[in-house]
Amino acid sequence: VIPYRLVLSPRLAVPRWLTAATLLGGILFGLLCCAIFLIAFGVPASDLGNEFIVYVFGNRAGLDQTLTRAISLTLVSMSVALCLRIRFWNIGVEGQLWMGALAATAVSMYQIGPWFLRMPLMIIAAMIGGGFWCGLAAIAKVRLRADEVITTLLLNYVAYLLAQDLLYGHWRNQADQFPTTPIFPRYEQLPTFGGWHLHYGVFIALIVTAFCWWLCRYSRFGLLSKAVAENRTASRALGIPVNRITLATACLAGAVSGLAGFSIISGEEHKLTQFVGNDYIFPSIAIAYLGRANPVGVLVAALAVAGLYTAGDSLKAFYQLPDTVVVTMEAFLLMTVAAFDVFVRYRISIHRLRPKVVVAQPAVIAADGGQA
Amino acid sequence: VNGFLGDWIGAIPVFAAPFLLATTGLIVNERAGVLNLGAEGIMSMGAVAAVITMLSGFGLPLAIVMACVAALGMTALFALLTVVLRLEQVLSGLVIFAFGVGLSGVIGDSYANQPIKALGPVSPALFASLPSWLARLIDQDPLTYFAFILPFIVWWVLERTELGLRLRSVGENAPAADAAGVNVMGMRFAAVLVGGIILGLAGAHLSLVGSQVWVTGMVSGRGWIAVALVTFSRWNTLRAIGAAVLFGAVQAVIPLLLSSGLHVPIYLIQMLPYVATIAVLSASGVGRLRASAQPEDLARPFLREERR
């Protein structure tokens, strides 16, 4: 029908400049799409620069909000990135975050340990809670071959509903009957930097980033997981413990998500609320992908996306745009960056199909084979 | 039978129909080898398009058509990413999920929480002589009837026609299908679009029959359950009927329990469908069921120029 054919031929070697240029091109094109989208919904074009640069990074309130949001975003995205490195899709960061928050809250509610050990215990509990939740999906994958895309996703709902059950049940604040726990005592709250909302969770995020960077780059584990990512069957044949690496990575990733839960309840909310783990699934995937599953890249991407949220808040306030405008912009960005990847992976050419050559037909032979 | 149980049975079809439509649409996609995780976003777009059409004063038929058109637009984007550009299907699906949920929230914002005239039962008078619970069970709206007829049509096309054979061959072994002269890209593109239209109908059912209003985020995970139901029903649209009725039954019992005033752990009951899906996913991995039913080339992009 169309006289042209799109031909994608896989590239064997990819020059570095091309990778960088594609990423940049994808981001710029994505931002352009976002700008058109916002203008279409009534934001004046002249205000865009103001919203995105000045408000997000240029004033103290905006910067405070951006950095605070970046803590939890970095942690959950690091979790996705770790799993992505062995090609395990962790779509369950929300559930792991909830389980981490629940475990940490349990330590607080039942007053486990003396007060000076309380916060370390909460941190450990949060890591165990999150790690357990992601580990469940990993066990189901390696033992029962249940697809992790679906199991991690469904575990989100289970954890969320468990939290609701507790918040409307045993853990409900008896004082005012709101579905939250009582406010944590001071020694269970992460300290803030004087006068800012920004809290010491920053150090958790930085330590986790540094650890993951070391793990991926210098450890034996990182090397083996690279082999697992490339080819599971071949790795198994080489004697690499594929299942154990999958399990360990998943548990570690879950623990990192659990830490995000701890950082939110202890650093930001100072209590368990219904809104601890909302809207992290897609941002975490987007950040991990934009950061190329590289811990340092993830940190940078998380900061940028956190800025997007701050901009979204001001768009909401000044132009009455709904919450979902942020997730739409994230989708635009991820879509364009991922689509631009085509240029890295394939050499694209458009071949013109030659018109069919009419072969000269031999003279019609009679039905009896020409014997007559 | 006329008390609690009657209410429950009568409510099941309306709750089951969106699951059934969405699962059927996704089965069409997955049998052609395309894993569509964007169902939630596509259904959201369908739901919001239907409501906007209704609130703008156009009739029900146009609302259903517009739901399909909106879903088709989203799916075309998904097909462009996965089938033409050969992006990773899981990633593309997640992008479409976020894009659909986000965009439906933005364009539906000024139409939110405004009730619409619902798509009602076909003819209440016709079944008046039956016991009331049976009448409520049978007397449904056209979209629900269609939801329960469609799986049979899709099953027949997939299993009994040459078109179905070609579609399945693309999902099972794309290189072999290509060598046999099937246009893999065209077939996958078409399958994704057809599945997308059905997902749009599922979204329309949610807003026109179910809630009769648009609320941001109202699909609330039903698209994801449908993705899981495809595995639950082992890629067979006839089994999908049973699966959808089962999940519809669990969802239908929740509002009844809430209004009955019984003291039950409501959140733990809501957990049941999710836990059941995980259990079935895991259990089907133990036997040979899964291995024999899953399309072999599911979620694997096909490119003739690429060696595998």
Side-chain angles (χ1 to χ4, degrees), chain B residues 90-260:
Chain B
V90 175
L91 186 76
S92 323
L94 287 166
V95 167
I96 294 299
F97 148 67
F99 193 53
V101 171
L103 194 61
S104 65
V106 175
I107 61 174
D109 193 43
S110 45
Y111 299 90
N113 305 321
Q114 297 175 36
I116 52 169
K117 189 173 78 71
L119 183 57
V122 177
S123 67
L126 197 63
F127 304 104
S129 57
L130 293 170
S132 76
W133 67 273
L134 191 61
R136 249 180 303 167
L137 178 67
I138 298 178
D139 191 22
Q140 298 294 342
D141 57 281
L143 214 48
T144 306
Y145 284 132
F146 182 69
F148 280 87
I149 296 169
L150 188 66
F152 293 95
I153 302 173
V154 171
W155 180 84
W156 184 77
V157 171
L158 283 179
E159 308 288 340
R160 291 286 181 272
T161 64
E162 194 192 320
L163 178 71
L165 184 66
R166 284 163 171 266
L167 188 143
R168 282 184 291 135
S169 74
V170 166
E172 293 292 342
N173 192 334
D178 185 49
V182 180
N183 180 352
V184 174
M185 201 165 100
M187 186 55 92
R188 284 194 167 169
F189 210 102
V192 170
L193 291 188
V194 169
I197 292 175
I198 304 176
L199 284 172
L201 285 178
H205 189 286
L206 280 178
S207 62
L208 293 181
V209 181
S211 65
Q212 300 163 15
V213 66
W214 165 256
V215 183
T216 303
M218 62 171 262
V219 180
S220 64
R222 290 193 188 84
W224 289 109
I225 295 182
V227 173
L229 279 181
V230 173
T231 318
F232 191 96
S233 52
R234 305 213 302 278
W235 290 271
N236 181 326
T237 50
L238 298 186
R239 275 196 285 259
I241 300 176
V245 167
L246 187 67
F247 276 65
V250 175
Q251 293 238 324
V253 81
I254 289 166
L256 289 176
L257 283 177
L258 275 179
S259 60
S260 72

Side-chain angles (χ1 to χ4, degrees), chain A residues 339-356:
Chain A
F340 268 58
D341 256 7
V342 162
F343 298 113
V344 173
R345 287 185 297 142
Y346 303 114
R347 194 184 297 279
I348 299 176
S349 46
I350 293 172
H351 285 202
R352 183 168 183 178
L353 297 183
R354 264 169 290 167
K356 276 215 176 89

Side-chain angles (χ1 to χ4, degrees), chain B residues 1-12 133 136 249-250 252-262 264 269:
Chain B
V1 181
N2 277 330
F4 181 84
L5 203 60
D7 285 343
W8 187 16
I9 294 176
I12 287 176
W133 67 273
R136 249 180 303 167
V250 175
V253 81
I254 289 166
L256 289 176
L257 283 177
L258 275 179
S259 60
S260 72
L262 290 172
V264 284
I269 291 174

Side-chain angles (χ1 to χ4, degrees), chain A residues 181-225:
Chain A
T181 61
I183 294 203
F184 296 149
R186 196 133 195 98
Y187 50 83
E188 290 174 1
Q189 299 178 5
L190 282 167
T192 52
F193 294 94
W196 292 59
H197 289 106
L198 188 64
H199 52 85
Y200 280 25
V202 171
F203 298 117
I204 299 182
L206 289 177
I207 291 169
V208 166
T209 307
F211 173 73
C212 291
W213 178 74
W214 169 83
L215 192 75
C216 298
R217 202 173 163 122
Y218 292 110
S219 74
R220 185 182 145 79
F221 182 80
L223 183 69
L224 293 184
S225 61

Side-chain angles (χ1 to χ4, degrees), chain A:
Chain A
V1 187
I2 311 161
Y4 295 96
R5 198 167 92 88
L6 183 75
V7 175
L8 308 176
S9 21
R11 285 179 195 272
L12 296 178
V14 183
R16 278 188 92 88
W17 65 266
L18 184 66
T19 318
T22 333
L23 182 61
L24 197 67
I27 290 175
L28 286 178
F29 190 68
L31 287 176
L32 183 71
C33 288
C34 291
I36 294 171
F37 168 71
L38 288 178
I39 291 167
F41 279 91
V43 182
S46 53
D47 285 8
L48 285 178
N50 192 28
E51 293 303 330
F52 276 86
I53 317 270
V54 181
Y55 186 71
V56 175
F57 297 105
N59 77 20
R60 191 174 134 155
L63 189 65
D64 191 8
Q65 197 184 342
T66 306
L67 290 177
T68 311
R69 175 112 46 181
I71 297 172
S72 47
L73 281 178
T74 306
L75 289 170
V76 290
S77 316
M78 204 65 76
S79 170
V80 174
L82 280 174
C83 290
L84 215 51
R85 292 186 79 95
I86 58 161
R87 307 192 64 68
F88 179 95
W89 283 99
N90 182 5
I91 311 183
V93 288
E94 243 174 66
Q96 294 144 28
L97 191 151
W98 269 115
M99 290 310 281
L102 288 183
T105 310
V107 171
S108 159
M109 293 294 282
Y110 302 117
Q111 307 196 340
I112 298 166
W115 69 269
F116 56 90
L117 275 181
R118 192 65 60 72
M119 192 175 289
L121 280 176
M122 283 171 79
I123 293 179
I124 292 169
M127 291 177 71
I128 293 174
F132 165 70
W133 214 238
C134 195
L136 275 184
I139 290 176
K141 182 185 171 75
V142 300
R143 288 268 168 256
L144 305 169
R145 295 182 36 219
D147 191 12
E148 81 276 8
V149 172
I150 295 169
T151 49
T152 51
L153 185 103
L154 293 178
L155 285 173
N156 284 327
Y157 294 100
V158 178
Y160 172 75
L161 290 168
L162 182 65
Q164 301 306 306
D165 187 62
L166 286 169
L167 281 172
Y168 281 103
H170 296 296
W171 289 2
R172 192 176 205 157
N173 193 345
Q174 295 304 325
D176 55 11
Q177 290 296 316
F178 277 113
T180 64
T181 61
I183 294 203
F184 296 149
R186 196 133 195 98
Y187 50 83
E188 290 174 1
Q189 299 178 5
L190 282 167
T192 52
F193 294 94
W196 292 59
H197 289 106
L198 188 64
H199 52 85
Y200 280 25
V202 171
F203 298 117
I204 299 182
L206 289 177
I207 291 169
V208 166
T209 307
F211 173 73
C212 291
W213 178 74
W214 169 83
L215 192 75
C216 298
R217 202 173 163 122
Y218 292 110
S219 74
R220 185 182 145 79
F221 182 80
L223 183 69
L224 293 184
S225 61
K226 214 175 267 176
V228 174
E230 286 291 331
N231 191 331
R232 294 181 85 85
T233 321
S235 308
R236 201 168 276 136
L238 284 169
I240 296 173
V242 174
N243 285 353
R244 250 187 291 159
I245 286 185
T246 308
L247 272 175
T249 309
C251 289
L252 181 67
V256 172
S257 299
L259 277 178
F262 166 77
S263 125
I264 291 173
I265 58 166
S266 172
E268 291 170 35
E269 305 272 350
H270 305 310
K271 62 186 173 190
L272 187 70
T273 68
Q274 282 178 287
F275 310 105
V276 164
N278 284 350
D279 289 334
Y280 278 103
I281 297 180
F282 184 70
S284 64
I285 306 264
I287 294 169
Y289 193 86
L290 293 175
R292 302 280 129 149
N294 173 324
V296 181
V298 166
L299 188 67
V300 175
L303 270 173
V305 171
L308 214 55
Y309 275 96
T310 311
D313 283 344
S314 89
L315 289 176
K316 200 164 45 173
F318 294 127
Y319 305 101
Q320 281 79 45
L321 288 177
D323 285 331
T324 48
V325 81
V326 177
V327 82
T328 317
M329 289 196 288
E330 284 168 7
F332 269 127
L333 273 176
L334 185 57
M335 199 184 314
T336 54
V337 169
F340 268 58
D341 256 7
V342 162
F343 298 113
V344 173
R345 287 185 297 142
Y346 303 114
R347 194 184 297 279
I348 299 176
S349 46
I350 293 172
H351 285 202
R352 183 168 183 178
L353 297 183
R354 264 169 290 167
K356 276 215 176 89
V357 178
V358 182
V359 180
Q361 296 287 321
V364 179
I365 298 167
D368 58 359
Q371 294 191 352

